[in-house]
Amino acid sequence: MEEQAGGLFLFVAVALVFAQIVLRVVFNIGISGVYELATFSATFSVLLTASLGVKRNTHVRVDILRNLLSRRGALVLETVVQVLMLTVSLALLYSGWLLVDESLLFGDHTTGTIEIPMWAPQLIMPIAGALLTLRTLQRILSLIRTPDAVLQSPTPGAVD
Protein backbone atom coordinates (compact mmCIF):
# COMPACT_ATOMS: atom_id res chain seq x y z
CA MET A 1 0.00 0.00 0.00
CA GLU A 2 2.78 2.43 0.93
CA GLU A 3 4.48 2.01 -2.43
CA GLN A 4 1.38 2.69 -4.51
CA ALA A 5 0.22 5.66 -2.41
CA GLY A 6 3.73 7.11 -2.28
CA GLY A 7 4.11 6.75 -6.03
CA LEU A 8 0.74 8.37 -6.64
CA PHE A 9 1.59 11.36 -4.45
CA LEU A 10 4.96 11.74 -6.16
CA PHE A 11 3.25 11.65 -9.56
CA VAL A 12 0.76 14.31 -8.42
CA ALA A 13 3.61 16.55 -7.18
CA VAL A 14 5.51 16.24 -10.46
CA ALA A 15 2.36 16.78 -12.55
CA LEU A 16 1.39 19.90 -10.58
CA VAL A 17 4.85 21.46 -10.91
CA PHE A 18 5.03 20.54 -14.61
CA ALA A 19 1.59 22.02 -15.28
CA GLN A 20 2.50 25.22 -13.43
CA ILE A 21 5.72 25.59 -15.46
CA VAL A 22 3.89 25.02 -18.74
CA LEU A 23 1.19 27.53 -17.80
CA ARG A 24 3.78 30.17 -16.89
CA VAL A 25 6.04 29.66 -19.91
CA VAL A 26 3.44 29.09 -22.61
CA PHE A 27 0.46 31.13 -21.41
CA ASN A 28 2.17 33.54 -18.98
CA ILE A 29 -0.28 32.61 -16.22
CA GLY A 30 0.03 30.66 -12.99
CA ILE A 31 -2.34 29.08 -10.54
CA SER A 32 -1.90 30.22 -6.95
CA GLY A 33 -1.43 27.43 -4.43
CA VAL A 34 -0.13 24.82 -6.89
CA TYR A 35 3.37 24.76 -5.40
CA GLU A 36 1.89 24.38 -1.93
CA LEU A 37 -0.15 21.37 -3.06
CA ALA A 38 2.91 19.94 -4.82
CA THR A 39 4.93 20.34 -1.61
CA PHE A 40 2.25 18.54 0.40
CA SER A 41 2.15 15.74 -2.19
CA ALA A 42 5.94 15.31 -2.22
CA THR A 43 6.01 15.26 1.59
CA PHE A 44 3.24 12.65 1.64
CA SER A 45 5.23 10.54 -0.82
CA VAL A 46 8.40 10.63 1.28
CA LEU A 47 6.69 9.96 4.60
CA LEU A 48 4.52 7.14 3.26
CA THR A 49 7.42 5.31 1.65
CA ALA A 50 9.85 5.69 4.58
CA SER A 51 8.31 2.59 6.16
CA LEU A 52 9.27 0.58 3.07
CA GLY A 53 12.93 1.26 3.85
CA VAL A 54 12.42 -0.25 7.28
CA LYS A 55 10.49 -3.22 5.89
CA ARG A 56 13.10 -3.99 3.22
CA ASN A 57 16.07 -3.01 5.38
CA THR A 58 17.32 -0.64 2.71
CA HIS A 59 17.69 2.62 4.60
CA VAL A 60 20.97 4.41 4.02
CA ARG A 61 23.45 3.55 6.76
CA VAL A 62 27.08 2.95 7.43
CA ASP A 63 27.79 -0.76 7.88
CA ILE A 64 31.47 -0.41 8.80
CA LEU A 65 30.88 -0.80 12.53
CA ARG A 66 28.48 -3.70 12.04
CA ASN A 67 30.98 -5.45 9.75
CA LEU A 68 33.72 -5.10 12.38
CA LEU A 69 31.62 -6.70 15.11
CA SER A 70 31.02 -10.37 15.80
CA ARG A 71 27.66 -11.82 14.82
CA ARG A 72 26.42 -11.42 18.38
CA GLY A 73 27.70 -7.83 18.52
CA ALA A 74 26.05 -7.06 15.19
CA LEU A 75 22.77 -8.49 16.49
CA VAL A 76 22.98 -6.33 19.62
CA LEU A 77 23.75 -3.25 17.49
CA GLU A 78 20.84 -3.98 15.14
CA THR A 79 18.51 -4.48 18.10
CA VAL A 80 19.57 -1.15 19.63
CA VAL A 81 19.06 0.59 16.27
CA GLN A 82 15.57 -0.90 15.92
CA VAL A 83 14.60 0.10 19.47
CA LEU A 84 15.76 3.66 18.72
CA MET A 85 13.79 3.58 15.46
CA LEU A 86 10.72 2.39 17.37
CA THR A 87 11.14 5.28 19.80
CA VAL A 88 11.39 7.80 16.96
CA SER A 89 8.41 6.36 15.08
CA LEU A 90 6.26 6.38 18.25
CA ALA A 91 7.32 9.99 18.87
CA LEU A 92 6.29 10.88 15.30
CA LEU A 93 2.95 9.15 15.79
CA TYR A 94 2.26 10.88 19.11
CA SER A 95 3.50 14.37 18.19
CA GLY A 96 1.74 14.16 14.82
CA TRP A 97 -1.49 13.30 16.56
CA LEU A 98 -1.06 16.24 18.96
CA LEU A 99 -0.38 18.56 16.00
CA VAL A 100 -3.50 17.43 14.14
CA ASP A 101 -5.57 17.74 17.30
CA GLU A 102 -4.28 21.27 17.91
CA SER A 103 -5.00 22.31 14.31
CA LEU A 104 -8.55 21.00 14.64
CA LEU A 105 -8.97 22.79 17.97
CA PHE A 106 -7.79 26.16 16.65
CA GLY A 107 -9.19 25.80 13.12
CA ASP A 108 -5.81 26.43 11.45
CA HIS A 109 -5.77 26.92 7.66
CA THR A 110 -3.06 27.55 5.09
CA THR A 111 -2.47 31.23 4.35
CA GLY A 112 -2.42 30.97 0.55
CA THR A 113 -5.17 31.57 -1.96
CA ILE A 114 -6.37 28.01 -1.52
CA GLU A 115 -7.41 27.68 2.12
CA ILE A 116 -6.73 24.13 3.23
CA PRO A 117 -7.44 23.10 6.82
CA MET A 118 -3.98 22.35 8.24
CA TRP A 119 -5.11 19.13 9.89
CA ALA A 120 -5.46 17.54 6.45
CA PRO A 121 -1.79 17.76 5.36
CA GLN A 122 -0.61 17.27 8.96
CA LEU A 123 -2.49 13.98 9.16
CA ILE A 124 0.38 12.37 7.24
CA MET A 125 2.58 12.62 10.34
CA PRO A 126 0.61 10.24 12.60
CA ILE A 127 -0.10 7.99 9.60
CA ALA A 128 3.62 7.79 8.79
CA GLY A 129 4.40 7.28 12.48
CA ALA A 130 1.93 4.39 12.63
CA LEU A 131 3.37 2.78 9.48
CA LEU A 132 6.95 3.20 10.73
CA THR A 133 5.95 1.74 14.10
CA LEU A 134 4.32 -1.26 12.41
CA ARG A 135 7.30 -1.91 10.12
CA THR A 136 9.79 -1.48 12.97
CA LEU A 137 7.88 -3.94 15.14
CA GLN A 138 7.90 -6.40 12.22
CA ARG A 139 11.67 -5.91 11.92
CA ILE A 140 12.17 -6.52 15.66
CA LEU A 141 10.09 -9.71 15.45
CA SER A 142 12.22 -10.85 12.51
CA LEU A 143 15.34 -10.21 14.58
CA ILE A 144 13.94 -12.40 17.34
CA ARG A 145 12.76 -15.22 15.03
CA THR A 146 15.63 -15.44 12.54
CA PRO A 147 18.58 -13.31 13.65
CA ASP A 148 21.06 -14.71 11.11
CA ALA A 149 18.79 -14.05 8.12
CA VAL A 150 17.99 -10.53 9.29
CA LEU A 151 21.67 -9.61 9.72
CA GLN A 152 22.47 -10.34 6.09
CA SER A 153 22.84 -7.27 3.90
CA PRO A 154 19.83 -6.66 1.69
CA THR A 155 20.03 -7.71 -1.91
CA PRO A 156 19.92 -4.66 -4.21
CA GLY A 157 16.56 -4.48 -5.91
CA ALA A 158 15.04 -7.20 -3.73
CA VAL A 159 11.33 -6.82 -3.04
CA ASP A 160 9.49 -8.47 -0.14
Side-chain angles (χ1 to χ4, degrees):
M1 174 196 79
E2 299 106 318
E3 195 168 17
Q4 286 80 19
L8 178 64
F9 279 116
L10 183 60
F11 175 78
V12 168
V14 170
L16 287 171
V17 171
F18 179 76
Q20 183 77 329
I21 290 170
V22 168
L23 286 172
R24 286 191 187 271
V25 171
V26 176
F27 301 106
N28 201 27
I29 60 170
I31 300 172
S32 180
V34 168
Y35 290 127
E36 190 172 40
L37 292 174
T39 300
F40 289 151
S41 293
T43 303
F44 288 10
S45 176
V46 169
L47 288 173
L48 282 174
T49 56
S51 61
L52 289 175
V54 174
K55 177 183 177 185
R56 297 176 182 164
N57 193 28
T58 55
H59 274 296
V60 175
R61 66 170 156 234
V62 179
D63 287 335
I64 294 171
L65 180 59
R66 191 178 90 172
N67 293 340
L68 293 174
L69 295 173
S70 65
R71 272 215 163 311
R72 181 168 169 74
L75 181 60
V76 169
L77 179 64
E78 184 67 20
T79 303
V80 168
V81 167
Q82 293 308 314
V83 169
L84 288 172
M85 181 65 194
L86 183 61
T87 303
V88 169
S89 61
L90 285 170
L92 179 64
L93 172 62
Y94 180 69
S95 64
W97 183 257
L98 290 178
L99 184 65
V100 168
D101 189 47
E102 184 179 282
S103 291
L104 283 168
L105 180 67
F106 292 114
D108 292 340
H109 286 76
T110 58
T111 56
T113 307
I114 303 173
E115 278 198 23
I116 300 170
M118 282 306 294
W119 66 265
Q122 291 168 346
L123 195 59
I124 192 62
M125 290 179 61
I127 290 171
L131 288 170
L132 283 168
T133 299
L134 172 69
R135 297 304 185 188
T136 303
L137 287 172
Q138 287 175 333
R139 179 95 176 123
I140 290 170
L141 286 174
S142 294
L143 274 171
I144 293 168
R145 289 185 190 144
T146 56
D148 286 337
V150 172
L151 288 176
Q152 295 174 359
S153 295
T155 307
V159 177
D160 290 340

